Amino acid sequence: MQRWYAITFSIAILLGNSVKLRATSTESDPAGGEGPSSQVCPICCQGPAGTPGIQGLPGNQGQLGPAGSKGDVGVKGQKGDIGPTGAVGIVGPKGGDGIGLPGKVGPRGPPGLVGAQGEAGVKGQKGEPWETPGNSAQTVAFTVTRRTDSEMSGSYDSRLSFERFETLLPGTSFDLATGTFTCNVAGTYVFTFSVGKYGSSSLTVSLRKNEDWVVSGNSYDSDQFEQVSSSAVLVLQQGDLVYLTMNGKAWSSSPRHYTSFSGFLLYVE
């Protein structure tokens, strides 16, 4: 906006100078005659030069010209000639075989003396059969069952008793009244149990070694008859006790025996 004011002001000055110059020319010849005063001197009678005008605003940038056409692809140079193969060197002469005289055949030696035949050795006695720990002659195994339901128990230390031996190998010590297995042969044993839960109660059953809990199983669904089971591998020493404790009521019947306890010797130490 300031530029337009400056341009307008410059134009006004130029117009004012022009009017002033015209007025001066008119005053010099009021009568309009053709005397010397009516002629305007083209050189000496010119007024002073006006103030240069302010440079105008630059014009808008012109549009870009169209893109030039793509130049031609240069010509690919020709492949150079393959240089000549070098000459093969001359094979040297084969060396002669070394000349060596064969040695003389030595005289045949005399035959050796035949030794006397020795006496036959005494046949040894047959050894005792080797017994590995995994094939020990000592075997221990049991399976015991209940035929009736157990009494309701509210303590986790109540032992689950049993009523019948299904399997009891010689050398196996098991007390049905307390449901306790006593280890007489030190070794590694496998134990499993499966106890039926009476439908209207919850049941927790634990496998115990001496006073320690080993594994446990439980069921808290009071509307269903279910099985509570688990298993373990134990390393026992002579005199160790293994038994089951329960909290709840175990269920069983004959002849299906829903409550059972089993164990066997895997191998001796």
Side-chain angles (χ1 to χ4, degrees):
M1 193 69 178
Q2 293 178 355
R3 286 188 176 184
W4 286 112
Y5 288 149
I7 292 170
T8 304
F9 181 73
S10 298
I11 293 171
I13 291 174
L14 291 176
L15 291 176
N17 291 335
S18 178
V19 172
K20 182 178 181 182
L21 182 59
R22 184 67 179 267
T24 304
S25 176
T26 304
E27 290 176 359
S28 61
D29 189 11
E34 296 179 357
S37 61
S38 64
Q39 297 180 355
V40 179
C41 180
I43 298 176
C44 60
C45 296
Q46 288 182 352
T51 304
I54 300 174
Q55 184 179 359
L57 297 175
N60 296 329
Q61 183 178 358
Q63 297 181 352
L64 296 176
S69 60
K70 185 176 181 182
D72 298 334
V73 179
V75 179
K76 184 177 181 182
Q78 296 180 356
K79 184 176 181 181
D81 297 333
I82 299 175
T85 304
V88 180
I90 301 173
V91 179
K94 182 178 180 181
D97 295 334
I99 301 174
L101 299 175
K104 295 181 181 181
V105 179
R108 185 175 182 180
L113 300 176
V114 179
Q117 184 176 1
E119 297 180 357
V122 179
K123 185 177 181 180
Q125 296 180 354
K126 184 177 180 181
E128 296 292 334
W130 175 255
E131 184 177 284
T132 61
N135 296 323
S136 173
Q138 295 175 312
T139 56
V140 179
F142 70 89
T143 293
V144 293
T145 58
R146 284 190 64 89
R147 309 178 77 179
T148 60
D149 298 340
S150 67
E151 296 295 331
M152 181 67 70
S153 171
S155 171
Y156 287 100
D157 292 326
S158 300
R159 296 198 182 190
L160 179 60
S161 61
F162 293 88
E163 301 170 342
R164 177 177 175 176
F165 289 111
E166 302 296 334
T167 300
L168 187 68
L169 297 185
T172 304
S173 177
F174 194 95
D175 182 13
L176 290 176
T178 60
T180 303
F181 166 76
T182 302
C183 176
N184 294 328
V185 179
T188 301
Y189 288 78
V190 177
F191 295 95
T192 63
F193 66 84
S194 180
V195 180
K197 181 190 74 67
Y198 196 80
S200 61
S201 67
S202 61
L203 177 65
T204 299
V205 181
S206 299
L207 177 68
R208 306 278 292 273
K209 173 185 174 182
N210 298 326
E211 298 297 328
D212 299 328
W213 274 271
V214 181
V215 293
S216 300
N218 55 39
S219 173
Y220 296 102
D221 190 350
S222 60
D223 296 331
Q224 300 293 332
F225 287 85
E226 296 180 337
Q227 291 295 121
V228 176
S229 61
S230 191
S231 60
V233 177
L234 300 178
V235 178
L236 302 181
Q237 303 298 326
Q238 288 187 355
D240 284 341
L241 305 178
V242 179
Y243 53 93
L244 300 180
T245 59
M246 55 170 287
N247 181 6
K249 185 176 182 179
W251 173 64
S252 191
S253 65
S254 180
R256 297 186 179 181
H257 303 155
Y258 291 103
T259 297
S260 64
F261 180 30
S262 301
F264 62 89
L265 174 64
L266 187 62
Y267 58 87
V268 297
E269 292 184 347

